[in-house]
Amino acid sequence: MRRSKAFAWIAMLLALVLVISACGSGSKNGGNNSSSSSSAGGSNESSASGGAQTKKDVTLRVFVTNVTPQIQELSEKFSERNPGIKVEADTSPVDQYDTLLNTKIASGDAPDVFLVYTGTKTERLVREGHLMDLSDQPWVERIMPGAKSVISIDDKIYALPSSQFVMGILYNKKIFNDLGLNVPQSWDEFLDTAQKIKDAGIIPIGLGLKDAFTGLFIPNMMAASAIYRDNPDFDAQIKAGQQTFAGSAWQQMMADYLDLDKRGLLNPGVLGTGYDQIQQMMASGEIAMMPTLTPTVKGIRAMNPEVELGMFPLPYVKQGETIWLPSNTKSVVAIYSKTKYPEEAKKYVEFLAEPENIKILMENNLSVYTDIESVSDPAVKELEQYIANGTYPFLDAVWPTTVQPALMKGVQSMFAGGSINEILEELDRQYQIGLNAQ
Amino acid sequence: MNRGYGLSRLWVNSLFLLPALLVFTVFLIYPVANSFYYSFTDWNGIALAPKYIGLENYRELLGDSDVWNSLKNTFIIALLFTLGVNVIALALALCLQGSHWIQKGLRVWFLIPLMISPLAIGYVWSFFYSPIGGILNMLLESVGLSFMTQDWLGNPKLAIYSVIFSSIWQSMALSMIIYVAGLQAIPRDLYEAADIDGAGMLRRFTTVTFPLVAPAFTINMVVTMIFGLKKFDIIFIMTGGGPGGATENLAIHLYNQAFTYNRMGYGSAIAILMFLIIFVLSLFQVKILRNREVEY
Amino acid sequence: MTNVSKKAAPVLQALVLAVWSFIVLVPLLVVILNSFKTMEELRFSPLSLPGALRLSNYAEAFLEANMLRAFGNSAIITVISVLCIVLFASMAAYPLARSDAGWSKFIYLYFLSGIMVPFQLAMVPLYKLLNVLDLIGKHFGVIMIYASGALALAIFLNTGFLKTVPRDLEEAAMMDGAGKMRTFWLIVFPLVKPITSTVVITNSLFIWNDFFVPLLFLQSKSAQTIPLSIYAFRNENMTEWPLIFAAVVLASLPLIALFLALQKHFIQGLASGAVKG
C-alpha cells in the first residue's frame, strides 16, 4: 500500500506542477497584477482577469538582434517618459533573427515593432502586407535624400533608418608605415601591396570563410566598381532576363577573388577559420588587411586599443578609374501593420528618431539624417571621403532573398575547388526561384 | 463476460490510451500533416495564403544536385556514425565488462561527454579543429607529427569526418553501456566450453560473444542509425553545413531551404523525403537484425 | 583461450582503454584549463596550465549568462516532460501490450511511426499551433513538444517489455476485485521499472541539453534554458573563448554532478531497459 500512496502523491504533484507551469511560468518579469496567462505579449492586457483598471496599460513588444543592445536602455527611457506604455524588448542572435521573425509573422504573432533589413527583405514584408506605412511620420523629412531613396519602396517609407554602413578594407597603419606602403588605388597596386606584406612575413589579407557571410564582402566591393559604376541597371537587366550572372563580369570577379588564395595572399586554412579569429588576428597585428563593414572597427579596437587602423575601398579598378563602394542604410525598426497599438508604436518609433537617441543607435557610423552629424571613428572617416565618388547598395538589398545564401555557399564551394561556372549558374537559378516566390 | 463489462473495458482502455494519444496527435501528427500539405505549395513562410503547386517541389528536388549531395552526406554520416559508435562501443565494452574498480570508473568517465550539451560539444570541437592555433594541430606538432596537421573543418574532403568523429566522441558511451549489460548477460559456462575447445580470442568472440550479444546489437544499431540519419544540432553548430555543402545532410539542407532561403514549401518536401528514407531504412534494418537474434 | 591469447588479451585491452581515455580526456582538459585563462594567455599557450586562476571568468559567465534562472527553467521543463512521458507511455502501453485486437495493432503502429519523424518536419506548423494555443514562451508548450516527440519510442519500449511479462499477477489482482486502474498502478507499473529507468535517463539527458526547441519556442531571456543561455552568451562574446568555456563548464556541472552521485543507478537504469526490451 506504500506504493499506491507514492503514486497518489506523484499524481497530485504532477497535476500541481502542470497547472503552475501552464499558468504563467516563463512570463516576463514575474507575474504583474493583471497577469492573464500571457507571457511574451501584452495583447491580452485589456482582458485583465476581472481586475477593474481605470487606465489601460499597454505593453509594446519590440524585437531586434543582439547587435543593438542599446534598445533596452532606450526602451526604459521611453517607458519613463510615457507611463502607461511598457516596452518588452527582446533580442536574438543575428543568424537566427530572420528565422524567428518569419515564424512569428507566419503564425500571426508578430511583435509590434521589429528590425527589418533594408531592401528586398523589407520589400517582401511590404508585399505581404505586414508593415505599416510610415511616410507621414514627422521624422521622415529629416532623412537625407540619398538615404531616403534607398529605403523607399514604391516611394513610401516603411522603416526608421539609423545610419549608413559601408564596406571597405580595414588595414593596419603601422604595418603599412613600417613597410613604406601607400593605400593602393588600383587592383594591380592592391596585389602588389599584399605581396610586399607577404614577403615581410605577415598575412596580407584575412578571410574567415568558416562563417559563410564573410565571403560576401569582396564580391560586393568588386561588383560596385566593376559592374554598377558603369552599368547601374545591371540588376534590372537580370530581372528582365537580359543578363545572367554566368557570362558576365562576375566570371572575372570570382576568378580574381580565387586568385588571391592561389597567390597565397590569404590566411592559411581560410575555410576553417572563423570571423572571430580573423578579428582577433587583425587586432593583434598578425593580419595586415581584412575586408569588413564599418561597424566592426569598434569591436577590433576594443580587443586592442593600441592598434592603428585605417580603411580604404577595395580598388577593383584599373589605374586612374573611379572606385565605387557598397553602402547600406541600416534600419532600426518597422511597425507591424496589424499591431493592436498603432499609436503607441508610432510614438515609440518617433522617440527613437529623436537626434540624441539616433546618435546612440548609430554608434560610430555615418549619419543619414540632415540634422545629425556623423561622429565617426578615424578609420571610418578615412573611408567617408570616397562615398561621394559613388556607392551602390549591399547586394542582398537588391536581390531576391534566395540569391545571397546561394552566393555564400558558392564562395565556400569555390574555395573548396568548385567550378565558378556552376556557381554562377546556381546564382541565376536561385534568382529566378526567388523572383517567382516574391 | 456480459456486454456491460465489454463497454466498461473499452472505456478503461481509452482512458489509458487517451493522454498519450492526445499529446502525440495534437503536437506531432497534426503539425506533420500540415507540413505534408505545405510540401505541395510554394509557401515562403510569411504569405498568408500559400499557392498550391502540386508535385512541383518534388519534381524539383529530384533534379536538385544539392538534394542529391545532401542525400549522399546523410548516408555517409549515418553509416560512419553507426559503424563508428558500435565498433568502438563494443570494443570498449569487451574491455569493461568486469567489476574491477578501474573498469567501473572508466565506464563513468567515458559517459561524461554525454552529459554535455551538443551545443557546447560543437563549440569546443570547433575550437579544437581550428587551422591556426587549433589544439589538435598543436598537439600533432608537439609530437613531431606536423605533417599531419590539417584544416579539419575547412577542408571539404575532411570536414564531414571531423564532424562525425566529434559526434561519436560525444555519444559512444551510451551504446557502450548497453553492450556491457548485454555482455554481462552471457552465461559464463558458454565461455568455459569455448575455452575447453581451445578457442583463441577471435573464435571466442565470433562463436559465443557476438551471436549472444545480438539483442543489444539490434537495439544499438537501429537507434544509432536513426539518430545518425537525423543528425542536426552538432553539424549546425560546427559547420552549418559548410564548407560549400560538404557537411550538409538532409536535415541541415531542409532547414536552410525553409528558413534561410524562405522556401517553406520546398523545405517541407525535403522533410517528407527524409522521413520516407528513415522509415524505409529502419524497417529494413529491424527486419534483418531481428532474424539474427538468438534465443538462449 | 590459447596461451598467446591469454597473454595478449589484457595488454590489448589496456591499450584500447588507454587510447580512448586519452581521447576523452584531452578536449575536456582543454576546456577546463582554458576557462581559467585570459584570452591572450589562451591564444599563446592553449595547452599549458593557467598562470593564475581567473575566477572572474566564471563570475562573469554566471551572471551574464543568466545561469540561475536558466537552471531553474531547465529543471522544470526536464522534470515535467519526463514525468509526462513516463506516465503517458506506460499507461498507453498497457492496453496495447495486453490486447490482440486489430485496433490495438493499429494504434501501436500509429505511435511507432513517430519514432522516425524528424523534428524539422513539424517545426513550422508547430509554431503556428503553439501560437494559437497561446503557448509560445511558456514552459508548457515546450513540455508538450518534448513529450509528443518522445512518446513513440517510450511506448515502443514499454509495450515490448510488457508483452514479455506474464499476466498472472494482474489476473490474480483482478480476481481479488481490483479494477484495471488499481491493477495498473499497483502491479503493472512497478513491473516495468527497468524500462522506466531507461526512459527517464535517456529523455532527461536529451531534454536537458537540447537547444533547438527552446531556441524556437522559448525566446525570452527569462524563460531560457541552460543551452540557450550558452548560445546567446557565445554570440555576444564570440571571441572570448575563456568566458565561453567557463560558461560551458558551469552549464555541464549540474548534470555531471547528478550523474556522478547516481552513477550506479544511472548505468543500471540505462542498460536494463535496452537488454530486456
Side-chain angles (χ1 to χ4, degrees), chain A residues 369-406:
Chain A
Y369 287 92
T370 50
D371 56 349
I372 302 178
E373 235 203 63
S374 305
V375 175
S376 310
D377 180 287
V380 173
K381 264 214 150 39
E382 237 181 272
L383 200 57
E384 205 176 342
Q385 48 180 305
Y386 295 94
I387 295 183
N389 294 347
T391 66
Y392 196 73
F394 290 2
L395 294 172
D396 68 313
V398 297
W399 284 341
T401 55
T402 46
V403 185
Q404 170 143 293

